[in-house]
Amino acid sequence: MPSLDDVIAAETVLSDVDGANGRLIIRGKPVEELARSATAESVAALLLEGFFDDMPKGQKLATAMGAARLRLFRRLQPHLAAIASLSPVEALRAGMALIPDGDDLDTALMLLAAPVVLTPAIIRLRRGEQPLGPDPRASQAADMLRMLSGVAATDAASRALNAYLATVCEHGLNASTFAARIAASTKAGLVSAAMAGISALKGPLHGGAPGPVLDMLDAIGQAGKAEAWLRQALGRGERLMGFGHRIYRVRDPRADALKAALRPLGIAGASGGRLALAEYVERAALDVLHKEKPGRPLETNVEFYTAVLLDALGFPSDSFTCVFVAGRMPGWIAHAREQEVGGRLIRPQSRYVGPAPQQAA
Ligand code: ACO
């Protein structure tokens, strides 16, 4: 069945995904550089530049993002208890659907705020705790972590979350971004584009993978059991989550960017044990995959160390896709605007392979 491999469906100024060499450039910057030093605010500035006439710069953008978090929380607070009965990513999608559609900067700021504010609120409600309101003066990453745990985030934790958000902010025409561009190509508006994006992202073959990565590490439990567990999973015809990629023929550069972001966290306890186990399981999985699937370019992808990083930051595994949405949102918005401004309606064709009409006797 065709799946648009090698088809160029858009021209973009946003990112260059070099699958043969394992390189990712986002608006002229290597992903490793963004992972080391970018923040949610600087990533939004980088990706959205040129797509809104009234785009604020520097501290004014950070202030506008903080104000949008507060506006969004006040608007959606009455609905939080109802949506929190859904799974976290479904609850986030339901909350996003309550933002009025539009193509303007205010809609974009509300969309950037939505996963940052709603994810901690949904997690807390599901734990039987009250959601915490945003602090508009805080940075996006520090505020998200404080709304999750109830205590001020450490600098190391905020830096690690910023590293994650920057690493996943944009990645060419992946399934969710393509879905967002298709919705934007009909002029449906930015909320519709982001809803299309989150719906495509949540599947386990795309942004739904990191939760199952953590489940895999927990099921393996200890290094000595890794190889047998991995072989049995492959024997049952299962895929090893966090490995393989449609575009990267070599290691996904984001895997190492995230592994580097884990080190300054100085994680200990359960998370430290998970990191050591993850490093062992990664080596064992690559070994088993290369032996069992020779000739297939199966390497570590972004989701493997995402699982360890988000776990160390205190996010429960069933909410990892929501944090991915927080990272990818500026990419979706930028692609949607690029499509709205310069693109045409996306409308490919299908080839009919069904029955021919019956000839009248
Ligand atoms: N584990 C085991 N086998 C795999 C894996 C894997 N993770 N990935 C691909 N394969 C195998 C397939 O079974 C198939 O083998 P076969 O021909 O012997 O049946 C072969 O490799 C090719 O598979 P395709 O589905 O054609 O490969 P594709 O390029 O479409 O897959 C995908 C890309 C969906 C990411 C796949 O590698 C996968 O399912 N990985 C696990 C899920 C995952 O980690 N997703 C996150 C990706 S990153 C992101 O989206 C942000």
Side-chain angles (χ1 to χ4, degrees):
M1 191 66 89
S3 52
L4 302 183
D5 302 29
D6 301 325
V7 171
I8 305 290
E11 290 192 343
T12 183
V13 298
L14 296 167
S15 66
D16 180 19
V17 185
D18 177 352
N21 297 301
R23 277 200 291 265
L24 170 59
I25 304 295
I26 298 171
R27 283 207 127 171
K29 293 186 189 296
V31 69
E32 295 81 3
E33 182 187 325
L34 291 178
R36 274 194 304 274
S37 55
T39 61
E41 287 77 7
S42 69
V43 162
L46 180 72
L47 285 172
L48 301 186
E49 190 193 343
F51 291 118
F52 297 96
D53 292 341
D54 49 351
M55 179 85 183
K57 289 196 187 323
Q59 186 51 42
K60 285 191 176 143
L61 175 61
T63 303
M65 287 169 75
R69 288 198 302 278
L70 196 56
R71 259 197 333 278
L72 183 101
F73 183 76
R74 287 183 176 150
R75 182 181 188 102
L76 297 194
Q77 199 174 16
H79 308 283
L80 290 175
I83 64 176
S85 61
L86 297 164
S87 75
V89 71
E90 289 166 350
L92 173 57
R93 186 173 59 182
M96 280 164 52
L98 295 169
I99 303 172
D101 221 332
D103 296 314
D104 55 351
L105 178 68
D106 194 51
T107 309
L109 292 172
M110 294 286 263
L111 282 170
L112 290 174
V116 174
V117 171
L118 291 175
T119 304
I122 292 160
I123 294 169
R124 289 182 73 89
L125 279 166
R126 288 167 62 86
R127 289 200 298 231
E129 296 165 3
Q130 279 305 306
L132 298 173
D135 172 0
R137 292 156 308 171
S139 72
Q140 198 98 319
D143 210 19
M144 189 176 193
L145 290 169
R146 182 196 53 82
M147 287 187 278
L148 176 67
S149 69
V151 295
T154 63
D155 284 348
S158 299
R159 267 201 305 277
L161 181 55
N162 271 320
Y164 171 73
L165 298 173
T167 299
V168 302
C169 69
E170 159 58 17
H171 203 236
L173 265 204
N174 56 82
S176 58
T177 302
F178 188 39
R181 277 191 90 120
I182 291 171
S185 84
T186 72
K187 313 281 185 210
L190 295 175
V191 177
S192 298
M195 298 291 290
I198 189 174
S199 298
L201 187 80
K202 84 188 251 293
L205 298 190
H206 190 14
V213 169
L214 205 70
D215 297 341
M216 174 177 74
L217 295 178
D218 286 343
I220 291 173
Q222 46 182 282
K225 294 189 176 165
E227 199 174 326
W229 192 98
L230 295 163
R231 277 190 194 287
Q232 280 163 14
L234 284 182
R236 290 191 297 270
E238 291 172 17
R239 291 181 176 212
L240 303 183
M241 292 291 142
F243 298 91
H245 199 275
R246 176 63 61 81
I247 303 294
Y248 290 119
R249 306 292 84 185
V250 295
R251 193 178 167 85
D252 182 336
R254 300 169 298 174
D256 284 331
L258 292 181
K259 203 170 164 183
L262 270 158
R263 277 190 206 106
L265 265 183
I267 53 180
S271 298
R274 278 230 178 87
L275 176 56
L277 178 65
E279 290 181 313
Y280 187 90
V281 169
E282 182 192 13
R283 284 194 299 274
L286 291 173
D287 193 45
V288 171
L289 283 169
H290 293 160
K291 280 186 191 137
E292 300 282 325
K293 306 247 171 196
R296 295 266 182 224
L298 292 172
E299 300 292 336
T300 315
N301 68 43
V302 64
E303 303 293 31
F304 192 77
Y305 285 103
T306 289
V308 187
L309 182 77
L310 296 185
D311 174 59
L313 289 175
F315 290 97
S317 65
D318 62 0
S319 73
F320 288 171
T321 309
C322 301
V323 193
F324 197 160
V325 174
R328 186 52 59 84
M329 188 64 83
W332 288 340
I333 295 170
H335 272 278
R337 287 296 297 148
E338 193 176 48
Q339 184 68 38
E340 283 174 347
V341 173
R344 297 173 66 218
L345 176 72
I346 298 173
R347 203 320 185 176
Q349 296 190 50
S350 50
R351 183 183 303 116
Y352 181 64
V353 295
Q358 299 286 325
Q359 295 291 336

